[in-house]
Every structure is written in structure tokens, then in C-alpha cells.
Amino acid sequence: MPPTMSPSPSAARIAPSILSADFARLGEEVRSVVAAGADWIHFDVMDNHYVPNLTIGPMVCAAIRPHVDVPIDVHLMVEPVDELVPQFAKAGANIISFHPEATRHIDRTLALIRDHGCKAGLVFNPATPLNHMDYVMDKLDVVLIMSVNPGFGGQSFLHSALTKLREARARIDRWMQLGGQHIALEVDGGVKVDNIAEIRAAGADTFVAGSAIFGKPDYAAVIAAMRDEIAKAGTLAA
């Protein structure tokens, strides 16, 4: 049975980014982080064209798929997008997100992802306005807010992302109040134990963390600490 998105819209999901994992032991790394409590595996695809870095493709996704039973969350930092969608769907991706600047037809690309049996998401860079999402809400399963400029792991969190998260949260909440489907609000870049409560209070429910998890000796301790901080977020939001 294929992995599914979390059934609870209010649940907080931790999605470790394998960009910071030890690639010589990738199967072991993803098994370990899931055993430590990860909800999704975040898979960063960079093409040295849309972003100035070159990482991994569908073959690596297919290789790790048998090692985990949680959703694989593929973030495409590539241009163009559409040719890779069926390849990642076949490789076992559950969620595929892309940047609106990287395709000529946002609506068509979202439909393509869903037609291949995956959840579909839009990714917003720090300087990309949220307007794009307003016209395709019916095809969105995930909105991913970048809190760094994409391309490299280990960057510092940009606090301007908190304002964008609040704005995206308001858009999603209005949509759901009108009877629309649940849309996850994900954040990626510089997420750590010491800022995750503030990020949660701004409206995020899904947290990508790379070096903050894979750079530490005890994955379970870091994920547990993140969940403890997330639980405190209600007092920050009040």
C-alpha cells in the first residue's frame, strides 16, 4: 500500500532533507531518520540551471523508495519541469513540488503531477509573490515557502519568510473555510530547534530540516526536541 499524507490537517510533519545526509550510506540514513520519527523524506532536485547546484534525480529516488514507508516529498529546483514529473512518479515520489517561474503553464504542470498519482505543490522563493497560488488553489496539495534562496543546504533562515508564511496561512485557511481541500504549508531553509516554534506560530505545519538533523549524532533527539518546540508554538501565536 503506498504511503499517504498525514490524515490530520493540524498535525505537524518533520521532513528531513537528504541533501545533508551521508550519500555513501543513503539507504541506511533514510531508514535511520524514519526510525527516529521523520514523517516525510524531503528530496531536493537541483539542475545547475534553475539553481547553481547539481544534485540527484529519479534513479536515487527509486533507490531509496524500498527503504522507507513514509511519503517522499520531491522538490524540483529544475527548469523545465514537465519531463521529470512522470519519471519521479514512476520512481516512487508521493509529492512533487515545483517553482512557478520554472514552467510556462503552472495549472497544466499541477494537473500533470496529479494525473500521475502524486500530490502537487508550488514553491515560493523569498522574492516570489504568493499571487500564483490564488488561481490554482483547487489543484494544490502543498505550498512550500523557501526561507532561504534555493541551491545549497546549511543557509541561515530569512526572517522575512515569517510574514510570507502568515500570508500563505491566511490564503489556505480562507480556501478551506469555503470548502476547499486541505493544503499543507511547508517551510524549507534554516529550520532548527531554536526557531521552529516561531515558524510554527507563523502558520507552517510541515518542516524541512537538513543539516539541523543529519548534521547531528542523534536524529531521534533532534526530532523530539523539534516536536517539543512545536508544541510551545501556541503561546507564541497567542
Side-chain angles (χ1 to χ4, degrees):
M1 190 170 179
T4 59
M5 305 269 281
S6 171
S8 172
S10 62
R13 292 167 289 269
I14 306 293
S17 168
I18 64 170
L19 188 63
S20 299
D22 181 348
F23 274 66
R25 302 184 300 111
L26 196 51
E28 179 186 342
E29 286 275 71
V30 295
R31 290 196 305 272
S32 296
V33 81
V34 169
D39 300 293
W40 295 358
I41 293 294
H42 191 76
F43 195 98
D44 287 303
V45 183
M46 305 181 191
D47 65 355
N48 195 35
H49 178 65
Y50 181 74
V51 292
N53 198 0
L54 183 66
T55 58
I56 47 181
M59 289 177 63
V60 178
C61 183
I64 67 169
R65 177 72 278 174
H67 291 270
V68 294
D69 58 2
V70 299
I72 295 178
D73 172 32
V74 173
H75 173 194
L76 295 179
M77 288 164 272
V78 303
E79 187 179 4
V81 176
D82 290 4
E83 276 193 28
L84 284 177
V85 167
Q87 294 181 48
F88 272 101
K90 184 178 180 181
N94 304 98
I95 306 146
I96 301 176
S97 300
F98 65 95
H99 294 253
E101 304 95 334
T103 184
R104 293 184 178 181
H105 302 285
I106 296 169
D107 183 88
R108 184 181 296 164
T109 300
L110 289 168
L112 178 68
I113 293 169
R114 286 178 148 213
D115 287 347
H116 279 83
C118 296
K119 302 289 186 180
L122 273 185
V123 190
F124 294 90
N125 285 335
T128 302
L130 293 173
N131 309 32
H132 299 287
M133 67 185 284
D134 296 338
Y135 302 95
V136 291
M137 295 291 279
D138 60 317
K139 293 183 176 69
L140 285 178
D141 300 292
V142 177
V143 169
L144 172 53
I145 302 299
M146 294 301 297
S147 42
V148 298
N149 285 294
F152 298 94
Q155 299 183 67
S156 297
F157 182 84
L158 295 174
H159 284 271
S160 58
L162 295 173
T163 299
K164 185 173 278 188
L165 280 167
R166 293 184 192 101
E167 293 173 358
R169 177 83 270 155
R171 280 170 155 88
I172 291 169
D173 287 350
R174 281 196 301 269
W175 172 254
M176 292 176 62
Q177 286 163 9
L178 293 171
Q181 79 284 359
H182 173 245
I183 300 172
L185 181 54
E186 188 172 15
V187 61
D188 182 3
V191 176
K192 301 181 185 303
V193 171
D194 60 8
N195 64 10
I196 198 168
E198 187 178 22
I199 297 168
R200 170 67 161 179
D205 54 39
T206 305
F207 306 86
V208 178
S211 57
I213 295 175
F214 283 112
K216 300 296 186 291
D218 188 339
Y219 300 163
V222 177
I223 291 173
M226 286 181 166
R227 294 199 191 281
D228 287 345
E229 289 298 311
I230 287 168
K232 300 175 184 176
T235 58
L236 294 176

